[in-house]
Amino acid sequence: MKILITGGAGFIGSAVIRRAIHDGHEVVNLDALTYSANLENVASVEGHPGYAFEQADICDRARLEAIFAGHRPDAVMHLAAESHVDRSVEGPIDFVQTNVMGTAVLLEVARAYWAKLEEPAKSAFRFHHVSTDEVFGALGEDGEFTEETPYDPTSPYSASKAAADHLVRAWGRTYGLPVVITNCSNNYGPYQFPEKLIPTVITRALEGKSIPVYGDGRQVRDWLHVDDHADALLTVLKTGRLHETYAIGGDADHRNIEVVRMICAELDKVAPGNTAHAEKIEFVTDRPAHDFRYAIDASKVERELGWRPKVTLDQGLAETVRWYVENYDWVERIRERGFHSERLGLVKA
Ligand code: NAD
């Protein structure tokens, strides 16, 4: 397949691109290169004949039309988004612009392109929206999200992703665009921008700084290694049923404080300091309206498509910690651009 992947210079998009090229697909990476993008993430495929890069904003309809006409993709996998909850608290409009408007523009351009395709390309075409489990809101101590869970987003980020999901379904129902949606739990792994929990903990610990934990650290997240997510996404793109939703998770629910302690223990092995890294843990003001718990029942994707996660959290965290230690120059270049994993997302007047 020739897959047009939006957001391919980001964390998850770049993992999908590396996997897709490895699997023999052609890829067009469409990315605006915002602050979280990094073309180093796709450096390993840059010279591959099946790889092309287009710097473009998904809100720019004319550019998108030219890219679709020029590359003629067989499928679209849409990951471009503003992705960080704390930033959405500080600046929600960027999230509405990219995640809602950008998705609508991309859907319109994809629809016009798809409508003119000849068979069998038309029937084979797919528009896959990569979304989050955060659209379902927060769970209490029990239960898991499924594909049937009602939408109840909390943050401007999750509300904008929920809106995008609704738009994708509407384009499927109204215009017959062949769509599929995945809602995935929290990802971690190499090349994650050091503003999300796991890379923030690792990089700040390596720099001898305090390790911030929001609130009491009792919030629960279901962690999935990014390579498992990439595998799930390509599985759904190839074999998922049209107009369906698939919930994707790692079956690895842990309290944030447990995950932070696991990382500290791993760091004590590979990058020991004068004191145990866990001594640098500092409980800080909680995120406003911090969702208490996410957990995913991923039995549908396993039953129908045979996908299940392969990487355990222990293995994945050990590998991720090692990756950041060995590739600290990747972090340093981000620091040189002015990002220091400082606190974001406290509500200001
Ligand atoms: P990321 O921030 O690392 O990457 C986002 C990419 O999108 C960046 O390369 C950025 O330049 C690009 N982008 C942003 N605005 C754009 C625009 N207007 N036009 C074109 N490109 C633009 O994010 P990520 O963590 O890789 O997440 C990718 C997708 O997966 C997002 O849609 C996110 O909602 C979803 N998701 C993320 C997680 C997670 O744990 N990170 C979990 C589930 C779903």
Side-chain angles (χ1 to χ4, degrees), residues 11 35 83-85 187 192-201:
F11 166 52
Y35 77 93
S83 68
H84 189 38
V85 175
N187 282 217
Q192 189 168 29
F193 193 81
E195 64 182 358
K196 308 276 167 64
L197 177 68
I198 288 179
T200 296
V201 171

Side-chain angles (χ1 to χ4, degrees), residues 273-289:
N274 295 335
T275 55
H277 285 286
E279 288 185 20
K280 288 284 176 73
I281 294 173
E282 196 177 282
F283 292 93
V284 298
T285 310
D286 209 349
R287 170 184 282 167

Side-chain angles (χ1 to χ4, degrees), residues 6 84 206 211 224:
T6 72
H84 189 38
L206 289 174
I211 299 172
L224 179 68

Side-chain angles (χ1 to χ4, degrees), residues 80-96:
E82 288 294 336
S83 68
H84 189 38
V85 175
D86 288 345
R87 283 180 193 269
S88 83
V89 175
E90 299 216 350
I93 300 304
D94 288 347
F95 286 70
V96 176

Side-chain angles (χ1 to χ4, degrees), residues 205-221:
L206 289 174
E207 290 157 3
K209 296 179 183 158
S210 63
I211 299 172
V213 173
Y214 291 178
D216 58 10
R218 284 172 42 78
Q219 290 85 2
V220 177
R221 299 293 180 262

Side-chain angles (χ1 to χ4, degrees), residues 11 36 84 186-207 209-212 223-224 226 259-260 263 267 316-317 320-321 323-325 327-328 330-332 334-335 339-342:
F11 166 52
S36 68
H84 189 38
N186 284 47
N187 282 217
Y188 70 98
Y191 301 105
Q192 189 168 29
F193 193 81
E195 64 182 358
K196 308 276 167 64
L197 177 68
I198 288 179
T200 296
V201 171
I202 300 171
T203 57
R204 285 186 61 101
L206 289 174
E207 290 157 3
K209 296 179 183 158
S210 63
I211 299 172
W223 292 98
L224 179 68
V226 69
V259 172
V260 172
I263 295 169
L267 281 163
L317 279 183
T320 303
V321 167
W323 186 88
Y324 278 91
V325 170
N327 295 278
Y328 189 72
W330 180 88
V331 178
E332 256 168 356
I334 290 172
R335 297 284 189 244
F339 296 96
H340 296 282
S341 305
E342 303 294 359

